[in-house]
Amino acid sequence: MARFMDIHRGMQGITADQLMAAHQADLAIEQEESVHFEHAWADPESGTVYCLSEAPSAEAVQRVHERAGHRADEVHPVPLQV
Amino acid sequence: MARFMDIHRGMQGITADQLMAAHQADLAIEQEESVHFEHAWADPESGTVYCLSEAPSAEAVQRVHERAGHRADEVHPVPLQV
């Protein structure tokens, strides 16, 4: 398992309820891909959402996001952490 | 206080020790700007570093990073979190 940061753009105006609903949609199916979404942070003004996950691969992260209806624009492994 | 995500690019090849040293350099002076850097994640391959902080403003975040010798390429407020 590795850690990933993914980024969604174009989410201007996202609300706390919408962020929670999107996160719950990921959580509902993540086990099928052995992914766990740990946190998400959003900037409604720039329309950027950052998701931190543990997953077997970037492709697995993207598959969960796609099936939940919100494909990520970028998925990066982040093997280093402090 | 608000939460911010900032991004540094062009850090290809960054090591765990270098990430820790950069983070420690921030921690050493962050109180002067009432900032606290909570976490940082790095992708040595794409050269991207993500920092999560609590701070009074994006400008305060940037001032700490600049004084520590590593100006951020982007600083975004992330008022929403799950």
Side-chain angles (χ1 to χ4, degrees):
Chain A
M1 296 288 274
R3 183 161 276 120
F4 295 87
M5 183 77 79
D6 68 77
I7 301 179
H8 306 252
R9 304 189 190 281
M11 305 294 286
Q12 281 82 2
I14 187 171
T15 66
D17 285 351
Q18 289 169 333
L19 181 65
M20 178 60 75
H23 186 59
Q24 291 295 337
D26 289 327
L27 296 184
I29 60 172
E30 66 179 17
Q31 285 187 333
E32 297 167 28
E33 295 283 356
S34 301
V35 173
H36 179 52
F37 286 95
E38 299 178 333
H39 290 286
W41 299 270
D43 175 13
E45 192 172 324
S46 72
T48 314
V49 177
Y50 308 85
C51 301
L52 185 71
S53 62
E54 280 198 327
S57 69
E59 291 73 21
V61 172
Q62 188 65 282
R63 280 194 295 269
V64 175
H65 276 335
E66 281 187 337
R67 290 179 50 203
H70 43 252
R71 182 180 169 81
D73 293 288
E74 303 173 32
V75 183
H76 295 288
V78 282
L80 306 184
Q81 175 173 6
V82 292
Chain B
M1 296 289 275
R3 184 162 274 120
F4 295 86
M5 185 77 79
D6 67 78
I7 300 179
H8 305 251
R9 304 189 190 281
M11 308 292 286
Q12 281 81 2
I14 187 171
T15 67
D17 285 350
Q18 289 169 332
L19 181 65
M20 178 60 75
H23 186 59
Q24 291 295 336
D26 288 329
L27 296 184
I29 59 171
E30 65 179 16
Q31 285 187 332
E32 297 166 28
E33 295 283 355
S34 301
V35 172
H36 179 54
F37 286 95
E38 299 178 331
H39 290 286
W41 299 271
D43 175 13
E45 190 171 325
S46 72
T48 314
V49 178
Y50 307 85
C51 300
L52 186 70
S53 61
E54 280 199 328
S57 68
E59 291 73 20
V61 172
Q62 188 64 282
R63 280 195 295 270
V64 175
H65 276 335
E66 281 186 338
R67 290 179 52 203
H70 43 251
R71 181 179 171 81
D73 293 287
E74 303 175 32
V75 184
H76 294 288
V78 283
L80 306 183
Q81 177 173 5
V82 293

